């Protein structure tokens, strides 16, 4: 299901209108409808037609009828319509009045691109989750990306996906977006007949039926959309292609897990903007932390909400890493951190045998940590635990 976000801009100045159009034009699935104040269109018409998801109103010499119309919308549709205001030399009186009425956020001019894109993206992902839940869907889209090559993003993504499918009895699709060096199929000992490029290069053909034909199923029940076996060029991949693919996947599956390569392009950004949470995987050492910081800042600049980003401190040692966890949170500006234990033996066995972690060593700390992550994502996106005494009881009893 392709979820569109309807955004109405109601601006006092042509320049602001152009600026907002240029900023929001970079988000896929946003449908803009822009109006100049005093130009014939009126906020009062809202409610008669289809409701917008967002209204962006510019404060400058506001007319009383507009303010009243905004107050009415905020009162009648507090959960459906998000109102933002932007201003240059905002009249404080008007600002206070609108904030009191329930305006979600204010954007002083010049508008900070990342802040506006981040806020709008957040509303879009909220709408996707709401609609998916309304249709009986369970989960959402989670991305894994390494902060530095070889941090363990693929290992954790793959095993979280396998556990969600097998232990949590959910419908899970793992998409290997590491187009050139993806190794999910190899690590799970699969022989895929088709791969993700077939979907990415033909966005208009992608629907649930087409998608199903490209998928390979692992013994655990996990469905995999593999990357190509050769070094395919990535030039033809578009943000639209990736969005269509995730749209179709979300329609079919409870959980969609993306293994995203560490390349920051328009299409990887589109994948990350679709995801909540985005798990950045790295080790606790200075050079990885520096790269993680660069990535997180760049993502924020591209409108990927920092609030959606979480960090997994992989290969953690018994002793604390080089940077204490509180310091790490502060440096990266990330609140939610997870830990996965260093375990060379289990990792190598799993890799060499083409088997998930829990099939080679169910009781290892690393396996348990990854299981805790699967549990975390299940609860985060599904909003509830499986019943006590159900699937988990005795899971790690060995
Ligand atoms: N917790 C861990 N303890 C020990 N080894 C690990 C751990 N997690 C991953 N590894 C090993 O680290 C190596 C790199 O892992 P992986 O391929 O998952 O990283 P990645 O971040 O996806 O790398 P890339 O940037 O190449 O995509 C693998 O050999 C894997 O088995
Ligand atoms: Mg990888």
């Amino acid at each position: 299901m392709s979820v569109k976000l309807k955004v109405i801009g109601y601006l006092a100045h042509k320049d602001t209108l152009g600026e907002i159009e240029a900023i929001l034009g970079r988000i896929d699935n946003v449908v803009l409808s822009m109006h100049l104040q005093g130009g014939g269109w009126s906020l009062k018409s809202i409610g008669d037609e289809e409701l917008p998801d967002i209204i962006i109103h510019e404060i400058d010499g506001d007319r009383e009828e507009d303010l009243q119309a905004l107050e009415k919308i905020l009162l009648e549709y507090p959960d459906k319509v998000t109102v933002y205001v932007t201003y240059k030399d905002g009249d404080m009186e008007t600002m206070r009045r609108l904030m009191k009425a329930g305006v979600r956020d204010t954007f002083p001019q010049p508008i900070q691109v990342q802040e506006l894109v981040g806020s709008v993206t957040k509303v879009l992902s909220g709408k996707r989750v709401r609609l998916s839940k309304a249709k009986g869907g369970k989960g959402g889209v989670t991305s894994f990306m390494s902060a530095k090559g070889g941090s363990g993003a693929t290992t954790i993504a793959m095993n979280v996906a396998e556990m969600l499918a097998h232990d949590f009895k959910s419908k899970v699709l793992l998409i290997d977006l590491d187009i050139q060096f993806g190794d999910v199929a190899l690590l799970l000992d699969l022989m895929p007949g088709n791969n993700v490029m077939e979907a990415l290069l033909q966005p208009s053909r992608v629907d649930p039926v087409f998608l199903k034909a490209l998928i390979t199923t692992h013994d655990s029940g996990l469905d995999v959309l593999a990357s190509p076996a050769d070094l395919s060029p990535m030039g033809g991949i578009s943000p639209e292609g990736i969005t269509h693919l995730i749209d179709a996947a979300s329609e079919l599956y409870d959980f969609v897990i993306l293994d995203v390569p560490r390349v920051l392009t328009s299409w990887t950004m589109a994948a990350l903007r679709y995801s909540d949470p985005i798990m950045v995987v790295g080790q606790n050492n200075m050079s990885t932390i520096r790269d993680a910081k660069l990535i997180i800042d760049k993502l924020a600049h591209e409108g990927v909400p920092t609030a959606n980003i979480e960090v997994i401190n992989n290969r953690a040692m018994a002793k604390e890493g080089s940077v204490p966890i509180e310091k790490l949170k502060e440096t990266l500006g990330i609140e939610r951190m997870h830990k996965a234990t260093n375990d060379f033996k289990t990792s190598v066995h799993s890799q060499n045998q083409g088997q998930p972690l829990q099939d080679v060593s169910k009781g290892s700390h690393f396996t348990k940590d990854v299981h805790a992550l699967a549990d975390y994502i299940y609860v985060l996106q599904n909003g509830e635990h499986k019943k006590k005494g159900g699937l988990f009881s005795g899971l790690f009893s060995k």
Side-chain angles (χ1 to χ4, degrees), residues 43-76:
L43 283 169
K44 278 197 275 187
S45 65
I46 291 177
D48 303 330
E49 38 183 300
E50 196 197 340
L51 277 179
D53 300 288
I54 295 176
I55 299 171
I56 305 176
H57 175 82
E58 185 170 17
I59 295 181
D60 191 5
D62 298 77
R63 294 175 306 172
E64 182 57 29
E65 62 175 89
D66 284 342
L67 296 177
Q68 281 182 13
L70 274 179
E71 284 170 333
K72 187 162 175 274
I73 292 164
L74 285 162
L75 189 71
E76 281 178 18

Side-chain angles (χ1 to χ4, degrees), residues 145-156 178 181 183 187 259-262 281 314-316 340-345 347-348 351 366:
M145 185 191 230
S146 58
K148 205 167 190 71
S151 295
T154 300
T155 306
I156 297 179
D178 191 352
F181 297 102
D183 47 9
L187 294 171
D259 184 2
V260 182
R262 194 168 158 264
V281 183
N314 190 24
R315 309 187 76 155
T341 308
N342 188 49
D343 185 347
F344 183 71
K345 200 169 143 207
S347 303
V348 168
Q351 211 170 27
F366 185 32

Side-chain angles (χ1 to χ4, degrees), residues 188-258:
L188 284 173
D189 199 20
L190 299 172
M191 303 283 263
N194 297 296
N195 68 69
V196 67
M197 282 306 267
E198 286 156 69
L200 291 176
L201 296 181
Q202 311 173 72
S204 58
R205 286 191 64 192
V206 174
D207 59 22
V209 177
F210 183 78
L211 185 58
K212 268 190 176 157
L214 304 180
I215 277 156
T216 314
T217 303
H218 182 253
D219 289 346
S220 60
L222 168 68
D223 277 354
V224 175
L225 188 48
S227 61
D230 55 7
L231 277 176
S232 298
M234 297 193 282
I237 307 175
S238 64
E240 187 204 7
I242 206 91
T243 309
H244 270 254
L245 171 60
I246 308 176
D247 275 341
S250 309
E251 204 169 314
L252 281 176
Y253 291 89
D254 298 327
F255 296 92
V256 178
I257 307 286
L258 307 178

Side-chain angles (χ1 to χ4, degrees), residues 258-284:
L258 307 178
D259 184 2
V260 182
R262 194 168 158 264
V263 280
L264 303 180
T265 60
S266 58
W267 68 267
T268 49
M269 292 297 170
L272 296 174
R273 280 199 209 103
Y274 209 130
S275 310
D276 185 9
I278 298 158
M279 296 292 188
V280 173
V281 183
Q283 282 176 259
N284 186 353

Side-chain angles (χ1 to χ4, degrees), residues 17-57:
L17 189 148
E19 202 183 333
I20 290 177
E21 221 163 22
I23 296 173
L24 296 187
R26 55 207 276 168
I27 312 183
D28 324 285
N29 293 2
V30 164
V31 182
L32 283 174
S33 158
M34 306 297 271
H35 307 278
L36 271 178
Q37 293 169 13
W41 185 85
S42 160
L43 283 169
K44 278 197 275 187
S45 65
I46 291 177
D48 303 330
E49 38 183 300
E50 196 197 340
L51 277 179
D53 300 288
I54 295 176
I55 299 171
I56 305 176
H57 175 82

